[in-house]
Amino acid sequence: MDWHQLWTILATPDNVPITLLLFVIPFYTWYGLRQSLANDRLIEKLEADPALAKTHHRKTQPYRPEWAREVHVWPYLLRIEFLAAIIVTIILFVWSIVLNAPLEEPANPTLTMNPSKAPWYFLGLQEMLVYFDPWMAGVVLPSLIIVGLMVIPYIDENPLGNGYYVYKQRKFAIWTFIFGFIILWVSMIIIGTMIRGPGWMWFWPGQTWDHNRLIFEVNRDLHEILGIRNRWVAFFLGGGATTLYLVGAAIGIHKLITLTPFSKKIYKRMSLLQYVTMQIFLITMLSLPVKMVLRLLFRIKYVWVTPWFNI
Amino acid sequence: MAETNGNSGNGAPAGNGSGGKSVLTTLVEGSKEVKDRALKEIETYKKPEKTDLWKSILRVKHDETPRSRALGVLSNVFLHLHPAKINRDAVAYNYTWGMGGISFYIYIVLVFTGALLMFYYHPSKVVAFRDILYLEHDVPFGKLLRNMHRWAAHLMVITVELHMFRVFLTGSYKRPREFNWVVGVILLVLTLLLSFTGYLLPDDQLGFWAVTVGTNMARATPLLGHDGPFGLELGMTPFNDVRFALLGGSIVDSNALLRAYIWHCVAIPIIASAFMVVHFWRIRKDGGISGPAPVMLESEIKERR
Ligand code: HEM
């Protein structure tokens, strides 16, 4: 166990935001989901007792009949904003006094940094480079992430859960977002920061970053593993495997979004266009963990090799 | 004035012979007058919000009335994005986590510290790095300034992501707020781009290699990059593809530094500010923030319109 190495990684000033993430993300996930579960219980109660649902009991915040429905922004909101501004200012001052922004040697094109890392918020993308070629990991997937986020409101036909935390009414949506945001985005950032060392090799926490370490692992294309030499056979095999994934993922996702009677109801509300859009983005999102497993467990480099691109 | 005149009018018939004494009395009495008035006025200055100066700046009379509280918010440029009154539950921290507002505040901090940094920074090779050293070692509070700009940028990425997380968990992107979510995603991308373009500016190894790695991906853009699928077929070379456009050259050099500087200090801040204006405007127009709303039951779902 190389404690010094661990400390060097954790204490690098530029890594402090990730250490912060490590606390802040679990906290707010808990904070939000706790309210979701509380509201789930409330909804259960209301559903059992329709008379209760006609009263103030459906509110998710404390209520007293004598309280005014509205409050003045001045002072009731502005004082909170002011307080928040002061707290953030103090945090920033302390942080800036205690830790110095990094400054390395002057830029030198002839001296490669190893590992040369993107800023932390892009380490998820850099990590994807391990599993996909740059055109996919660096351009197509990021664009799809952005567009995929943008279409969320237009493909989510579930009218429930608008304006309050809830879990049971939006199970699929919440799991999808947590999967994309926490499991894929945040944890890949953490891997990129803490685990990836020189040569972008995998170093467990506490393992020394050995610049001379060599790993003899051979990643082979799918058709090589199957012993196929002919280029055309390989081409069609790869295309077939990719199609198989697309169809399999589509069926699996379809099963998931029609799992319960409620989700079937929501599914019936969706237009064809909404359904197809949702499938495309979910299939693409799922391809990342699938490729990760193929690479990490089966040492497969490309599934599909073509003259123009490789996947 | 009128009273002082009256005094000297009274004093005059008292006798011309004792003129000296009379002048003295008038002076003493006069100064007493002034003193009393000054005291009285000072008393009113203890309530500055009642003065004409105050009214001329803030445009509203200050009373302890609901109307004047509302006007105080509505007639102020900086506050009028807020309504005068809001739902009492909407101020609950457990609902919004305050992350949108905090992101905006951090953005303001960044604009402020960034503008100060610009006084010391020249976007050209060699000089840029030296400017950072100068900032760190010679400029009063320069190190603090640079640190704060750096850490605020990182913090903003975190708060914006948390803001998005809570908007998702509360389903606040649902009708009628769909488009404001889209605006939000654009803001998220702009936040990341702002951070990234700033990374190159110190012109040190860290930024140089991060930007090299980043822009190397651009050469693999399908169709538009010379290394990407179908790039060669479309006539892309290292000297005319997207990467060239981003860097202003085929390598990360002085042109790239200048471009990063202009994107970072001029273009993206303007674009991001514009989108923030839209974001805030839409929050108001969509009926304020979405909740905390009363829960809705499955039996209450209406047919699709
Ligand atoms: C520079 C970045 C951003 C700033 C300064 C900002 C600011 C704000 C503020 C001040 C609010 C009021 C409520 C609150 O504080 O939670 C808000 C609401 C909202 N934001 Fe953002 N935001 C940003 C980015 C985003 C992103 C990335 C998204 C989503 C992808 C988003 C979507 C929304 C939506 C849908 C609302 C309405 C929420 C509701 O009605 O409850 N914003 N934003």
Side-chain angles (χ1 to χ4, degrees):
Chain A
M1 192 73 187
D2 186 349
W3 292 105
H4 179 71
Q5 179 71 57
L6 194 63
W7 175 246
T8 319
I9 297 172
L10 287 179
T12 306
D14 250 0
N15 287 349
V16 168
I18 293 98
T19 318
L20 199 67
L21 273 184
L22 238 32
F23 292 99
V24 158
I25 297 274
F27 172 76
Y28 278 104
T29 310
W30 168 81
Y31 194 47
L33 290 183
R34 194 180 67 127
Q35 296 181 62
S36 303
L37 298 181
N39 290 343
D40 281 353
R41 288 191 292 274
L42 175 68
I43 288 166
E44 227 163 73
K45 234 183 356 190
L46 295 181
E47 252 155 11
D49 183 357
L52 202 64
K54 298 226 156 51
T55 65
H56 65 83
H57 285 288
R58 56 163 71 216
K59 282 171 74 82
T60 56
Q61 297 282 334
Y63 172 82
R64 290 245 196 92
E66 69 269 21
W67 282 349
R69 207 172 61 81
E70 290 189 318
V71 293
H72 273 285
V73 161
W74 172 268
Y76 296 102
L77 177 59
L78 287 174
R79 69 177 180 198
I80 297 176
E81 294 180 344
F82 189 55
L83 188 67
I86 292 175
I87 293 174
V88 171
T89 310
I90 293 176
I91 292 175
L92 280 177
F93 262 101
V94 173
W95 191 353
S96 310
I97 289 170
V98 174
L99 287 177
N100 283 329
L103 186 67
E104 303 274 333
E105 303 282 298
N108 183 353
T110 57
L111 190 74
T112 316
M113 291 258 288
N114 188 11
S116 80
K117 288 191 181 184
W120 63 268
Y121 37 84
F122 284 144
L123 285 183
L125 304 183
Q126 204 178 353
E127 177 70 14
M128 289 201 301
L129 278 172
V130 177
Y131 311 102
F132 288 107
D133 274 358
W135 66 274
M136 183 81 173
V139 187
V140 173
L141 289 179
S143 313
L144 286 180
I145 293 174
I146 296 168
V147 181
L149 281 172
M150 284 182 181
V151 301
I152 288 177
Y154 300 100
I155 57 178
D156 185 352
E157 261 306 318
N158 181 357
L160 297 183
N162 184 348
Y164 52 93
Y165 292 90
V166 74
Y167 168 67
K168 280 200 182 139
Q169 294 181 337
R170 300 176 59 212
K171 273 187 199 163
F172 182 73
I174 287 182
W175 274 112
T176 313
F177 196 82
I178 288 192
F179 180 71
F181 177 58
I182 296 185
I183 308 214
L184 294 184
W185 184 253
V186 176
S187 65
M188 297 235 301
I189 286 175
I190 291 168
I191 290 177
T193 314
M194 312 267 176
I195 308 279
R196 294 297 183 177
W200 210 253
M201 279 187 272
W202 189 284
F203 291 86
W204 291 105
Q207 204 178 341
T208 313
W209 282 15
D210 177 2
H211 282 256
N212 300 316
R213 174 172 160 197
L214 290 174
I215 300 184
F216 293 101
E217 57 186 29
V218 187
N219 295 318
R220 294 186 301 170
D221 300 340
L222 180 65
H223 63 269
E224 288 172 348
I225 291 181
L226 299 178
I228 290 165
R229 294 267 163 68
N230 184 303
R231 266 182 48 206
W232 285 105
V233 177
F235 176 77
F236 284 112
L237 177 93
T242 312
T243 316
L244 200 68
Y245 163 73
L246 295 180
V247 173
I251 293 174
I253 289 165
H254 183 86
K255 283 250 160 70
L256 266 183
I257 53 183
T258 53
L259 198 60
T260 65
F262 176 67
S263 52
K264 263 207 198 84
K265 204 153 126 191
I266 303 302
Y267 163 70
K268 291 232 176 70
R269 292 166 68 94
M270 292 173 73
S271 71
L272 206 58
L273 181 63
Q274 284 175 317
Y275 178 74
V276 172
T277 316
M278 183 153 160
Q279 278 281 12
I280 291 175
F281 282 107
L282 290 179
I283 291 173
T284 316
M285 181 158 112
L286 209 58
S287 72
L288 177 62
V290 167
K291 188 77 197 280
M292 286 172 79
V293 169
L294 287 182
R295 167 64 58 84
L296 295 176
L297 293 186
F298 301 103
R299 303 258 153 257
I300 292 179
K301 184 149 192 256
Y302 295 124
V303 173
W304 191 13
V305 178
T306 78
W308 312 281
F309 61 86
N310 307 317
I311 292 179
Chain B
M1 271 302 176
E3 275 179 53
T4 332
N5 281 345
N7 271 349
S8 56
N10 281 340
N16 282 336
S18 57
K21 198 191 167 198
S22 149
V23 169
L24 199 66
T25 358
T26 11
L27 262 179
V28 170
E29 278 170 3
S31 60
K32 235 192 212 142
E33 280 269 344
V34 173
K35 187 184 134 212
D36 285 346
R37 271 179 53 196
L39 281 178
K40 229 187 255 160
E41 269 183 36
I42 286 173
E43 208 49 46
T44 66
Y45 293 148
K46 286 189 181 159
K47 282 217 171 100
E49 67 272 16
K50 297 285 184 201
T51 59
D52 286 342
L53 180 67
W54 181 281
K55 266 183 249 168
S56 80
I57 296 173
L58 291 182
R59 296 188 52 246
V60 271
K61 260 202 293 208
H62 183 98
D63 311 315
E64 300 290 327
T65 61
R67 186 186 128 79
S68 131
R69 278 184 177 178
L71 280 179
V73 171
L74 294 183
S75 62
N76 182 312
V77 214
F78 302 105
L79 300 181
H80 87 285
L81 270 173
H82 289 304
K85 280 179 145 193
I86 48 169
N87 194 320
R88 98 170 294 127
D89 295 339
V91 297
Y93 181 81
N94 63 5
Y95 184 73
T96 65
W97 306 348
M99 285 302 163
I102 290 177
S103 306
F104 182 56
Y105 177 66
I106 298 178
Y107 181 71
I108 293 173
V109 170
L110 282 165
V111 170
F112 182 71
T113 52
L116 291 180
L117 286 173
M118 283 172 81
F119 281 113
Y120 297 98
Y121 178 85
H122 305 77
S124 51
K125 275 283 183 192
V126 184
V127 186
F129 188 79
R130 229 186 277 154
D131 285 340
I132 304 293
L133 288 182
Y134 180 60
L135 259 165
E136 292 216 323
H137 300 292
D138 293 312
V139 177
F141 298 108
K143 199 167 206 166
L144 183 69
L145 193 61
R146 172 165 186 252
N147 290 349
M148 196 176 278
H149 195 71
R150 176 79 158 215
W151 303 137
H154 284 183
L155 194 61
M156 181 166 167
V157 174
I158 297 179
T159 58
V160 170
E161 284 181 1
L162 284 176
H163 172 57
M164 178 172 79
F165 191 32
R166 101 77 192 151
V167 170
F168 187 89
L169 284 182
T170 56
S172 302
Y173 57 82
K174 300 186 180 197
R175 198 167 307 127
R177 281 170 257 271
E178 300 102 319
F179 186 69
N180 215 15
W181 170 272
V182 176
V183 174
V185 175
I186 295 172
L187 281 173
L188 172 70
V189 174
L190 290 173
T191 307
L192 294 176
L193 286 180
L194 265 176
S195 252
F196 187 62
T197 48
Y199 218 64
L200 179 63
L201 297 183
D203 199 29
D204 63 345
Q205 282 284 69
L206 206 60
F208 178 85
W209 287 103
V211 170
T212 304
V213 171
T215 50
N216 270 347
M217 290 190 209
R219 74 165 93 209
T221 313
L223 310 181
L224 294 178
H226 70 272
D227 250 356
F230 308 110
L232 279 181
E233 285 81 346
L234 282 176
M236 289 299 154
T237 69
F239 304 100
N240 66 1
D241 64 353
V242 270
R243 183 167 171 276
F244 191 91
L246 288 176
L247 294 178
S250 57
I251 51 167
V252 184
D253 204 25
S254 53
N255 282 355
L257 191 59
L258 185 60
R259 282 189 189 204
Y261 177 75
I262 292 168
W263 281 112
H264 185 77
C265 302
V266 185
I268 306 181
I270 291 178
I271 300 171
S273 304
F275 274 100
M276 278 184 209
V277 170
V278 176
H279 197 59
F280 300 153
W281 174 254
R282 281 299 299 248
I283 296 172
R284 287 294 299 278
K285 292 292 141 182
D286 294 337
I289 64 166
S290 57
V295 298
M296 198 174 143
L297 303 183
E298 196 185 321
S299 53
E300 295 162 347
I301 298 183
K302 292 196 191 68
E303 279 303 301
R304 264 196 79 170
R305 36 197 167 137

